[in-house]
């Protein structure tokens, strides 16, 4: 393994990678982009269709204003400049799942241009990835190659998806590693989810990604021949496909071969890409302006009205949490991974005796146990409200951290929230002053050196004594009482 890794490194050392990503996001409108058919997933095949989305002669498209609003909102969240005037165009090609013989898309005048997403860079800083454009278009139908008794000889077509509103988001070729591509996609999805314009469900195809990748010898100015990897259905697989593809291209070039411009498919179970079709010539889609639709006008007033509905976006929220709760970048990212998680945390933090203690508990004790159990926050037996109760008890000194850990263990074993497990197994805490004083005397007698240091002015030693007494009580002494009695005894 070590030699394989080393040879991969040596192989790639001479090359530079250039990656660009195209992401299609289905917009969560109630109806399709150019007709009134329901925009829902999972209906019986060919039930959500009408003359418009079936491409019947004479049927005319009517633009769904909600789709425009959502696409503008996504553009603003991705720092794109929205054009006041954009044009719909026909993209002509023949395919069984495209009944009109063309797709209504946008070509030379897209809805929005010149955006960016900042991603974490390998050096620990941030790298800005440009977004070339976001345009509106309609989705095609779906060819179904499997699942029928006669699938060996026939393909079926389901046109429910035809006319689903899509935002296509095209990045600049600014990405220089599979890891950066993964980060870009993760952040893009997070931002879109925060805006609420798509559910970004990759299993249902609400978010789809194509990657263009090429390599060139370091120092060479012109780009290498690019290969397109299509329809990869998870971000992890996109990263794996890119890693495989970069190595494949380096091996071809090293052995004196040339890269063929082509489209490839990734097979996750084999961990490799396969050639799907070669592109000897660029596609000629014979774009022309859609004669049945007026230019799309989104003036400054409308843009501002839409902007005012944008929520606080993940990056801004992270920076605020870092400032308010003293969190690390990584911890803030964990708490803001979904909007609902961040909202739950903030609502409980607002009620907690110590919001910082709550944050620390959630990120250490709770997250550690979730990780070990392979669970997400959303599946945790201990809810955010339960975590807040435990943080408050700890803050008041009503339970020790040792007991808290035990209660968390029990909560996970019995799948109970913290209030329930606390009620059930309420720790028998020692609050008897005499009993605690006895333990304190024993601890002080056994640590003369530390007592001397404390009396010489090193008052931070108090933590050591508290720890020793808690240990002697097997975590059951009331920590607040221990602290109080110790301070008194040490004068
Ligand atoms: Zn329709």
């Amino acid at each position: 393994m070590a030699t394989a890794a080393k040879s991969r490194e040596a192989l790639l050392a001479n090359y530079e990678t250039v990656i660009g990503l195209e992401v299609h996001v289905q917009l969560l409108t109630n109806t399709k982009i150019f007709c009134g058919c329901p925009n829902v997933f999972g209906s019986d095949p060919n039930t959500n269709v009408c003359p418009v989305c079936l491409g019947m002669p004479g049927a005319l498209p009517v633009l769904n204003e909600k789709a425009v609003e959502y696409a503008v909102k996504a553009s603003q969240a991705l720092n794109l400049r929205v054009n006041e005037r954009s044009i719909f165009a026909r993209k002509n090609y023949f395919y069984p799942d495209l009944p009109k013989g063309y797709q209504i898309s946008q070509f030379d005048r897209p809805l929005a241009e010149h955006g960016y997403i900042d991603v974490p860079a390998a050096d620990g800083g941030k790298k800005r990835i440009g977004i070339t454009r976001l345009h509106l278009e309609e989705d095609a139908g779906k060819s179904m190659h499997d699942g029928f008794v006669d699938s060996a000889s026939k393909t079926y077509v389901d046109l429910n998806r035809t006319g689903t509103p899509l935002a296509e988001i095209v990045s600049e070729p600014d990405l220089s590693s599979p890891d950066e591509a993964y980060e870009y996609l993760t952040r893009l999805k997070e931002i879109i989810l925060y805006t609420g314009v798509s559910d970004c469900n990759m299993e249902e195809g609400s978010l789809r990604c194509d990657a263009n990748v090429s390599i060139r010898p370091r120092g060479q100015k012109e780009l290498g021949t690019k290969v397109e990897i299509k329809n990869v259905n998870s971000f992890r697989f996109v990263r794996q496909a890119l890693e495989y593809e970069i190595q494949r291209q380096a091996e071809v070039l090293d052995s004196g071969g040339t890269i063929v411009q082509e489209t490839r498919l990734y097979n996750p179970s084999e961990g490799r890409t396969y050639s799907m079709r070669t592109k000897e010539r660029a596609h000629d889609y014979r774009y022309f302006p859609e004669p049945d639709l007026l230019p799309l006008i989104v003036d400054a007033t409308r843009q501002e009205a839409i902007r005012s509905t944008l929520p606080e976006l993940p990056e801004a929220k992270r920076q605020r949490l870092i400032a308010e709760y003293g969190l690390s970048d990584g911890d803030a990212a964990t708490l803001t991974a979904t909007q609902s998680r961040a909202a739950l945390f903030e609502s409980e933090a607002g009620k907690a005796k110590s919001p910082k203690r709550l944050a620390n508990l959630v990120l250490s004790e709770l997250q550690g146990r979730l990780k070990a159990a392979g669970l997400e926050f959303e599946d945790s037996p201990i809810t955010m409200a339960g975590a807040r109760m435990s943080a408050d008890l700890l803050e008041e000194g009503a339970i020790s951290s040792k007991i808290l850990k035990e209660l968390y263990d029990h909560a996970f074993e019995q799948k109970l929230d913290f209030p329930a497990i606390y009620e059930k197994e309420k720790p028998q805490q020692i609050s008897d002053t005499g009993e605690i004083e006895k333990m304190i005397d024993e601890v002080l007698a056994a640590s003369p050196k530390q007592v001397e240091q404390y009396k010489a002015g090193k008052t931070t030693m108090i933590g050591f004594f508290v720890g020793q007494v808690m240990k002697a009580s097997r975590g059951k002494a009331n920590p607040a009482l221990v602290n109080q009695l110790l301070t008194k005894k040490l004068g």
Side-chain angles (χ1 to χ4, degrees), residues 35 37 50 53:
C35 63
C37 291
C50 75
C53 55

